[in-house]
Amino acid sequence: MQHEMEFQLYGAIAATQVVLPAMREAGAGTLLYTTGAGSIDPVPAVANVNAVAAALRNWAINLHKELDGTGIQVAHVGIDVSIGMSVVPGFPTAKPEQISPAYWDLHTIKRDQAELVFSL
C-alpha cells in the first residue's frame, strides 16, 4: 500500500500544492482527480489500490468543498470501464475519446459537481 499511497495520494497532493497558489491568486482553475471506480465500489482483488483511491476521492471531494465559491473547480472522476481494451472478459471498454467529454464538462459547465462516475 505504501507505493500506492506515494503514487496516487501523495502525488496528487504534491501536484496540487504546486499549482493551487496560482489558481487562488487568479481566482480560477480546475483540478480533476481520477481513480478507478473501485474507490467508490471496492473490488477485493485490488483492495490495496482501492483503499488508496478511496482516500484520494475523499481528499478531492473535501478540497471541492473547501474551494467552493473561489472560482476553482475540483472534482473526482471514477472510471468504471477499461480504457482501450479490457483484460477482464465481459468488462466494459471505452475509448479515450468517449471518456474525455466528461472531463471537459466538469471543467466548463458542471463546475459545481464534485464527482462524476464514467460508465457505459
Side-chain angles (χ1 to χ4, degrees):
M1 275 191 68
Q2 185 63 38
H3 169 74
E4 292 299 326
M5 289 292 280
E6 291 172 4
F7 177 69
Q8 287 194 61
L9 182 61
Y10 299 156
I13 292 170
T16 301
Q17 288 174 328
V18 171
V19 300
L20 188 55
M23 289 181 176
R24 282 185 182 271
E25 187 174 319
T30 301
L31 297 164
L32 301 176
Y33 301 92
T34 301
T35 68
S39 64
I40 302 160
D41 184 17
V43 178
V46 286
N48 61 330
V49 174
N50 291 172
V52 174
L56 175 56
R57 172 184 179 248
N58 182 285
W59 183 79
I61 292 171
N62 277 301
L63 188 59
H64 172 89
K65 291 175 181 180
E66 176 69 23
L67 295 173
D68 185 39
T70 66
I72 301 169
Q73 161 63 333
V74 180
H76 167 257
V77 180
I79 304 289
D80 195 20
V81 296
S82 287
I83 301 172
M85 62 181 275
S86 179
V87 295
V88 179
F91 194 74
T93 303
K95 296 178 181 177
E97 55 269 21
Q98 291 173 284
I99 301 169
S100 60
Y103 288 85
W104 184 250
D105 286 350
L106 285 169
H107 170 66
T108 58
I109 58 175
K110 295 181 179 177
R111 294 186 63 80
D112 61 338
Q113 193 168 329
E115 182 169 57
L116 182 143
V117 178
F118 181 90
S119 60
L120 294 177

